[in-house]
Amino acid sequence: NAGVTQTPKFRILKIGQSMTLQCTQDMNHNYMYWYRQDPGMGLKLIYYSVGAGITDKGEVPNGYNVSRSTTEDFPLRLELAAPSQTSVYFCASSFQGPGGANVLTFGAGSRLTVL
Amino acid sequence: EDQVTQSPEALRLQEGESSSLNCSYTVSGLRGLFWYRQDPGKGPEFLFTLYSAGEEKEKERLKATLTKKESFLHITAPKPEDSATYLCAVPPGSSNTGKLIFGQGTTLQVKP
């Protein structure tokens, strides 16, 4: 199993450009997440999905959009890139069983620089 | 407000010098406290989940413990390969959607 796969690993954008970060998982997990990680700030949740067709905002959703048309894929769209979106982005997935907290499996990350 | 705070931000140890990392949390109705390890340029990797005060879990040189207000990650006789950033996280009290609130992390450097 590949786990959680993110592409691209690195990308430089100009201010105002748009792009999509791709995320695919092959573990049949129902839950998927996008986090961003800035130095000294920990991981902040951008968007999450509890299943195909269902998405919701996290802590820092402004400037981003997501969709979840299949169980496997959860792309993150950046519209009109701004320097404040320079960060490392992590996609994660988990299986939520009844009653318990679940373990997130993370991808390797996508480092985005907006100049 | 649900919150997770880790200390110290950075820790430098000599090989073999034992120490502890702290994770303080504020959340209503704890449904698990998670420890992750993150190597440079990689995503976090799961280490432990603790569910109730008094619980302990061990993995090689690492032992995680939990009280009603905080968790400790004890590192016994660390080796250079233990160098990494250690993250703790809790699910928010108001949500059962698998989300996690992360602390800022403690970056551990173990020198030979």
Side-chain angles (χ1 to χ4, degrees):
Chain A
N1 285 349
V4 178
T5 302
Q6 292 182 233
T7 58
K9 293 190 184 304
F10 303 94
R11 182 73 186 267
I12 298 175
L13 282 180
K14 293 183 180 180
I15 294 172
Q17 288 185 320
S18 300
M19 75 160 297
T20 299
L21 299 177
Q22 301 291 344
C23 176
T24 299
Q25 54 94 5
D26 62 358
M27 297 171 285
N28 202 32
H29 284 172
N30 49 352
Y31 286 19
M32 295 188 75
Y33 316 85
W34 275 106
Y35 284 88
R36 61 177 286 173
Q37 186 175 38
D38 301 303
M41 298 296 290
L43 288 153
K44 301 294 185 185
L45 182 65
I46 305 171
Y47 270 96
Y48 66 100
S49 168
V50 300
I54 306 170
T55 62
D56 205 350
K57 296 178 181 179
E59 187 179 0
V60 290
N62 291 345
Y64 306 95
N65 278 299
V66 293
S67 60
R68 182 102 181 266
S69 58
T70 67
T71 299
E72 295 79 19
D73 300 309
F74 191 42
L76 178 71
R77 178 82 175 163
L78 281 72
E79 304 282 1
L80 299 175
S84 61
Q85 293 178 304
T86 294
S87 188
V88 181
Y89 292 85
F90 288 99
C91 180
S93 70
S94 67
F95 177 76
Q96 180 73 353
N102 55 349
V103 175
L104 271 61
T105 300
F106 285 85
S110 297
R111 181 176 294 274
L112 175 66
T113 302
V114 182
L115 300 174
Chain B
E1 181 186 353
D2 300 328
Q3 197 167 0
V4 178
T5 303
Q6 292 186 245
S7 61
E9 288 188 12
L11 183 62
R12 289 185 177 182
L13 300 174
Q14 288 295 129
E15 184 172 2
E17 179 186 4
S18 302
S19 188
S20 297
L21 282 56
N22 177 265
C23 172
S24 298
Y25 64 90
T26 304
V27 65
S28 57
L30 183 69
R31 292 179 287 112
L33 185 140
F34 296 76
W35 281 99
Y36 284 81
R37 170 188 170 130
Q38 185 176 23
D39 292 306
K42 296 188 177 181
E45 289 187 359
F46 172 73
L47 289 173
F48 306 108
T49 308
L50 302 166
Y51 288 101
S52 56
E55 187 175 0
E56 299 182 354
K57 288 194 176 175
E58 291 188 60
K59 181 179 181 180
E60 297 182 355
R61 295 172 293 282
L62 301 177
K63 183 169 78 172
T65 62
L66 182 65
T67 72
K68 289 187 177 180
K69 293 184 178 181
E70 56 192 351
S71 177
F72 293 94
L73 186 64
H74 307 278
I75 303 176
T76 302
K79 297 183 177 182
E81 53 262 41
D82 295 321
S83 297
T85 296
Y86 292 87
L87 301 165
C88 74
V90 298
S94 60
S95 169
N96 191 28
T97 54
K99 298 185 294 184
L100 291 178
I101 299 170
F102 283 84
Q104 314 94 307
T106 294
T107 299
L108 172 66
Q109 184 180 24
V110 182
K111 293 192 171 185

